[in-house]
Amino acid sequence: MNPTRSLKRFRWAAGAGLAAVALATTACGASGSAATDTHGLTGTPIKIGVLANVSGPTGASEASATKVFQAWAAHTNKGGGIAGHPVEVVVKDTKEDAPTAAAAARSLISDKSIVAVMAASTSTDPAVGTILADSGLPVTGGIGYNPTVWGKLKNWFGITTTFPQVVNMQIASAKPVGGKEISVVACAEEPACVAAVPLFEAAAKAAGTTYSGTMQVAAASPNYTAQCLDLVNRKVDFVQLSISPAVGVRVVKDCQAQGYAGYFGSSASAISPTLYHAPNIRLAGALNAFPWWADTAPVKAYRAAMSEEGVADNDSGQPASTALWASGELFKKALTPAAGQATDTVTRQAVLAAYGKVKGETLDGLLPQPITFTADQPAPPVNCYWLYQYQNGAFAGSAQPTCPS
């Protein structure tokens, strides 16, 4: 992970409960792709743009999410599309860079055939927020929680857990596994990684647990033995990881070698196969999108579609991916009555109108809470989430979301 780039920090910081908004420093060219199979449908296409960090330094989960969304489009087209309209997907790579993301957003806006956007680049949401909101091009889903965008700007229709619950749920995840002494391990390269420590500390106090402080670690360090010994000596039993999964794997390994026997916390889009495939790891956290291992009919359908479309488990088994699948399913359900005949052209205005009619929608459990949108108004906050535990190579947790008062 390149410590000179501040933009990417929002993703890991907020994903671990340390929400901070950071902006990019360098510019690159935006790229795009439109390779969705229409499966023989001849109706007027419904074209959806995706803003995703495909090739940036920490883009693994977001790149995986684009694969899942393209699989959603192919699966939808196999089933007749949306009222006979095939869905096409155009992916724009933000490269985790604000100017690149802004250019990509403007490119989607200028392409009048694009009727909606999915936001899958959490660190660049602030860079494109007002650009898209002012354009009237609706953002009909994504994986973000930045408080300057989601729940703040009109035309941004969010379905995943928003701030501040995306912070509070980290503390909530410690209680089911007996976590009482909680510490945060955060990146040392950027202030953004510890910007919301006061919120985390306040949440711990409100939950009746002890906040044992924040420890910063550098990605370039050869090992984390000293830090791990300190955690063990302080009898910490829950370590929230506010670092990239790759660094997290190294911290986990070193702390286990020093006798740490508690749980590690990882939540929202920070939880990824890179982390949970680490040997002998014990994780607990909260998901802002549906758990991919759940034994419910809609989630079984998700796994079956992923298998049918050839999407690897490592790509489909993470919250960023299930968030985009749920976003696609909501788009399909909202647009089906508004799509008209297959020969009709679906417009951005039709999408906005359709989303303004979404009332109390749960998608049979794929959404964390009943979702309601109002035209020309910011989306309401999403306060619910799914708690999980992971040990012995398997996930556990209820398919029912937790909804704090």
Side-chain angles (χ1 to χ4, degrees):
M1 199 163 60
N2 185 347
T4 66
R5 299 167 72 100
S6 61
L7 171 64
K8 61 181 175 292
R9 299 301 178 190
F10 181 80
R11 178 180 168 209
W12 300 122
L18 306 177
V21 180
L23 297 178
T25 56
T26 58
C28 308
S31 60
S33 63
T36 308
D37 188 347
T38 60
H39 291 281
L41 293 173
T42 58
T44 305
I46 297 175
K47 193 177 291 187
I48 304 173
V50 179
L51 291 171
N53 171 26
V54 176
S55 63
T58 60
S61 66
E62 293 165 359
S64 293
T66 65
K67 297 176 184 178
V68 167
F69 192 67
Q70 288 169 321
W72 168 82
H75 186 72
T76 296
N77 291 341
K78 284 181 180 179
I82 297 178
H85 297 265
V87 178
E88 296 183 7
V89 175
V90 177
V91 177
K92 293 287 185 178
D93 185 3
T94 67
K95 301 183 179 180
E96 207 168 41
D97 173 75
T100 301
R106 292 189 176 97
S107 175
L108 294 175
I109 292 167
S110 65
D111 182 351
K112 299 306 180 183
S113 69
I114 302 289
V115 299
V117 172
M118 295 289 172
S121 181
T122 55
S123 55
T124 59
D125 283 345
V128 302
T130 55
I131 294 172
L132 288 168
D134 291 345
S135 75
L137 177 59
V139 180
T140 54
I143 60 177
Y145 30 69
N146 189 301
T148 68
V149 176
W150 300 95
K152 181 74 171 179
L153 302 176
K154 66 179 183 178
N155 299 349
W156 280 72
F157 300 101
I159 65 165
T160 56
T161 314
T162 50
F163 189 85
Q165 287 300 344
V166 77
V167 176
N168 297 339
M169 68 188 193
Q170 311 306 310
I171 294 295
S173 70
K175 185 175 180 180
V177 295
K180 296 180 179 180
E181 292 284 336
I182 300 174
S183 186
V184 173
V185 172
C187 73
E189 291 82 3
E190 292 294 337
C193 288
V194 294
V197 164
L199 292 173
F200 198 90
E201 185 173 3
K205 183 177 180 180
T209 57
T210 300
Y211 182 68
S212 188
T214 299
M215 178 179 295
Q216 292 184 275
V217 299
S221 295
N223 64 71
Y224 306 104
T225 300
Q227 293 93 331
C228 292
L229 282 172
D230 184 39
L231 292 171
V232 172
N233 291 336
R234 287 191 285 118
K235 301 187 185 305
V236 171
D237 55 14
F238 191 89
V239 177
Q240 183 67 42
L241 298 174
S242 181
I243 46 184
S244 73
V247 177
V249 169
R250 295 173 53 210
V251 170
V252 168
K253 181 180 178 181
D254 285 356
C255 286
Q256 288 173 336
Q258 300 309 315
Y260 177 78
Y263 277 81
F264 293 91
S266 184
S267 295
S269 57
I271 177 66
S272 77
T274 298
L275 186 61
Y276 65 72
H277 285 163
N280 303 316
I281 193 169
R282 296 207 304 171
L283 292 170
L287 308 178
N288 58 347
F290 71 83
W292 51 94
W293 65 87
D295 192 30
T296 64
V299 180
K300 287 180 179 179
Y302 168 72
R303 292 196 297 268
M306 294 298 98
S307 177
E308 181 180 339
E309 299 301 330
V311 178
D313 291 346
N314 275 0
D315 289 319
S316 62
Q318 52 192 343
S321 296
T322 60
L324 279 201
W325 177 269
S327 297
E329 289 294 278
L330 182 60
F331 183 90
K332 178 167 58 179
K333 187 165 186 177
L335 263 291
T336 295
Q341 302 298 314
T343 54
D344 295 338
T345 298
V346 176
T347 64
R348 297 174 183 180
Q349 291 72 27
V351 174
L352 287 169
Y355 267 69
K357 297 177 181 178
V358 172
K359 306 299 178 187
E361 183 59 59
T362 65
L363 294 178
D364 295 326
L366 293 184
L367 301 179
Q369 69 186 46
I371 297 295
T372 295
F373 298 130
T374 302
D376 296 322
Q377 296 293 324
V382 179
N383 293 319
C384 301
Y385 47 81
W386 287 269
L387 294 172
Y388 81 89
Q389 296 87 44
Y390 179 90
Q391 60 181 334
N392 300 322
F395 281 95
S398 174
Q400 297 299 316
T402 295
C403 297
S405 58

